[in-house]
Each structure stands twice: as C-alpha cells, then as structure tokens.
Amino acid sequence: MPCSSPHQPVTTERVDALTDRLLSLLQWRSRIFHAGQYCGHWQASTAGHQMASFHWVLEGRCWLHRPGQPALQLQAGDGVCLLRDEPHHLSPWPDATSTDSGPLQPMLAAHCEVGEGEARCVLVCGFVHFDGPQTAVLTASLPPLLQLRGGNDGQSALLPLLLAETRRMPDPDSPGPLLQRLSDLLLMLALREPLRQALQPRTNGGGARGLLALAGEPLLAPLLQAILADPAADWSAERMAGELHLSRASFFRLFTQAIGQPPAQFLLALRMQLAAQRLREGLSIARTAEQVGYQSESAFARAFQRVNGAQPGQFRRLHISTH
C-alpha cells in the first residue's frame, strides 16, 4: 500500500525501528584474540591483520594511541571498535612515546595474583570480519572508530558477566563460547548508536551510500521500510515510484542521486543480503528464495552467487556449521 505522504515526519520510533532492521542485516564473524590482564610495562595491538578489531576494558584503565590522533583514555566499562585496520596500540601511559624500563610484560590470566598496589588492566581484544554486499556499504558509512562509554544500561549489565567469564579462563588465548557471545553483544551496542546517528535525516547530504543513504533521505526512507516489510513483492520501478507518489522519471533521478546506483541493482543487493541472513538462520533454500521474491530456485541461486560469491547451499552449510 502506498504511503500516505511523501513527507512523513521522521520520528524517534521510525529511526529506532530502521536501526534495528539494519543492525539485523549486518553480518559478521568475530573472534576473541585474547582476554586477560596486563600489569606493569605492556602494549597491546590488533593492527596489521587486515581486519576490523575491538578492545573492551573490564578493569583498570589504559590509553589508545593512533598516529596523528590524541591519546584516548579508556576506563572500566569502556570499549572501542576500529572498523578499518589501522596502526594503533594500547598502553598504560597517556604518552605514546613513554619508554618505561624493562621488557614488555605478556598478558596473564585475569585470575592471576599481581603485586600489591600494582596497576592492572583487564582487556578482551579481538577481530571482526564483516560479510555481505550491504554490510560493506553500511560499515563504510560509519566512523572508523566506534566508542562505548561506561554507564550505558546494556554495558552495565554485560560488564560483570564478561569480567566473570574472563576470570574463569585458565589461558588468555583460549576464550570460551559464552565469552565470545557476550563480546558480540557489546559489539552490537557499539554499532547501534553510530548507525542510529547515520540514519538521522540529512538536508545537504552526508556522504552515506546504499542503505544508509536510503534510510536517511526523508523522501526515500518510507520505501526502504516498505521493501523490508515485504521483500518478496514485485518491486518494479513503477511500484517504487508509486510508493513515494513520484513519477517514474523523478523517482529514478532522486534514487540514483541519493543512493549512487539504480533501483534494480540496489534491490538485488538488498534481497541477497536478506537471503544471506535467512540462510544463516537455517531457513531452507526454497523458503529463502520465496521470501525474497524468487519462484525459481535456480534463478535465485544464480543471483545469490553473483552477489555473495557462493551457492546458497554452500553458504548455508558453512554458516550453520560455524554457529
């Protein structure tokens, strides 16, 4: 059903609903690198692996150092996610050039006793690999450094659980599955607020592309809501234009300028992102094809491989086996 007006007000509820939908579309695989405590003279970094990475501070404090940027202090309950691989390191000093005497100390298990009065920092650090055609566009539209600050209700609830699991680990390099899941929840919190900010309406452009540009453009956002609500519908250019009460030519011009690609190309990528999400959840290939608008499994398989680089069956087996 067409929307009642092409100028629907942008409400908090609409932004929140879109944030949740887009957050559910993000596909990633995270891996904890190590979790434990540092004491004395130490440095930690996840740079150089060509992957996004994260650092959660569970106890104590440290500083994040990046070339050309001021040192960022992190305390218990804080965290950072670096969406691009860039040079950085954590240390116990605000000065990146500090040269405390002695060798760098290794990470210890969080339950190990340390010297009385010795400052320590309990950290969970790891890597994130983002998947999917729209996921890359979404993350590219977000700031390269995402910050979590202590005091958020969600973080306050997760922090004691994360700390307790870290203390249970006998080896900093062997995290358990529960610690991994708790870390993923923190990662979702880190992504949610900047994603929500990126969805705020823009009056003079904001450099976003793809899903974020569509969601943040007041004239086009209702179309994204409609497609996400019924991705299997026959979303021809005429129907999309009608959804927004625009002529086909006006719609095509507005869409291409805002999104950077024609409607059909965008629709294909979005449907295949939704299909990947459903396959990861264990839905059959036939049901997945039907839910994203394909009556023919073979046509769906060709489209899926073209966009996601793998046959649906192969993709489903791989991702179900890793969850």
Side-chain angles (χ1 to χ4, degrees):
M1 179 180 296
C3 59
S4 58
S5 166
H7 299 282
Q8 289 184 341
V10 180
T11 64
T12 299
E13 291 76 14
R14 185 182 74 80
V15 171
D16 286 344
L18 275 174
T19 300
D20 288 344
R21 293 299 296 269
L22 296 186
L23 192 60
S24 72
L25 281 178
L26 280 174
Q27 301 171 36
W28 74 73
R29 301 189 303 275
S30 73
R31 175 174 61 86
I32 293 176
F33 176 52
H34 59 201
Q37 65 176 322
Y38 281 109
C39 303
H41 180 210
W42 62 272
Q43 282 189 10
S45 178
T46 49
H49 293 267
Q50 304 303 310
M51 296 178 70
S53 61
F54 58 84
H55 304 280
W56 314 134
V57 183
L58 307 186
E59 279 190 338
R61 66 176 181 175
C62 62
W63 277 263
L64 172 68
H65 302 283
R66 296 184 295 158
Q69 301 291 331
L72 178 66
Q73 184 176 8
L74 302 172
Q75 304 186 74
D78 295 342
V80 291
C81 178
L82 295 97
L83 290 182
R84 331 278 189 259
D85 182 20
E86 60 176 287
H88 72 278
H89 71 272
L90 302 175
S91 82
W93 310 290
D95 183 0
T97 61
S98 178
T99 55
D100 189 87
S101 60
L104 292 175
Q105 299 300 308
M107 175 175 267
L108 304 173
H111 60 75
C112 291
E113 297 292 334
V114 298
E116 185 176 351
E118 187 172 4
R120 71 191 200 116
C121 184
V122 178
L123 289 169
V124 174
C125 307
F127 302 103
V128 191
H129 176 72
F130 291 97
D131 295 317
Q134 292 292 354
T135 296
V137 174
L138 280 172
T139 55
S141 299
L142 297 177
L145 178 69
L146 307 182
Q147 297 183 45
L148 276 174
R149 288 299 185 184
N152 176 284
D153 288 343
Q155 291 162 247
S156 298
L158 288 171
L159 191 64
L161 298 173
L162 209 67
L163 182 57
E165 283 302 306
T166 303
R167 285 174 172 163
R168 288 181 63 249
M169 291 174 50
D171 180 354
D173 299 323
S174 301
L178 182 54
L179 186 64
Q180 182 69 63
R181 294 299 179 91
L182 291 169
S183 177
D184 280 345
L185 291 175
L186 275 180
L187 183 57
M188 291 188 77
L189 287 175
L191 288 163
R192 184 172 65 179
E193 186 54 30
L195 188 59
R196 188 181 187 281
Q197 291 300 317
L199 291 176
Q200 300 298 326
R202 297 174 296 278
T203 57
N204 57 357
R209 292 177 59 82
L211 282 170
L212 286 182
L214 185 55
E217 167 55 61
L219 287 176
L220 294 173
L223 176 61
L224 176 59
Q225 290 178 292
I227 295 174
L228 288 173
D230 188 10
D234 180 16
W235 288 107
S236 63
E238 289 75 12
R239 175 167 179 170
M240 293 185 196
E243 190 76 25
L244 301 176
H245 304 284
L246 295 172
S247 70
R248 188 181 186 281
S250 296
F251 163 71
F252 197 91
R253 182 171 58 253
L254 174 64
F255 191 100
T256 304
Q257 288 175 349
I259 312 306
Q261 57 186 180
Q265 184 179 342
F266 173 85
L267 178 64
L268 173 64
L270 179 57
R271 279 174 163 168
M272 294 306 104
Q273 187 87 4
L274 289 166
Q277 178 189 4
R278 284 155 171 74
L279 291 172
R280 289 167 71 103
E281 293 168 353
L283 200 65
S284 70
I285 296 173
R287 286 288 292 146
T288 298
E290 180 182 344
Q291 288 192 8
V292 296
Y294 286 80
Q295 300 304 313
S296 164
E297 283 190 46
S298 59
F300 166 69
R302 288 193 297 272
F304 189 89
Q305 182 169 30
R306 186 163 69 250
V307 173
N308 290 306
Q311 284 288 327
Q314 177 189 10
F315 181 93
R316 186 175 182 273
R317 287 190 299 273
L318 172 65
H319 288 280
I320 288 180
S321 67
T322 57
H323 284 73

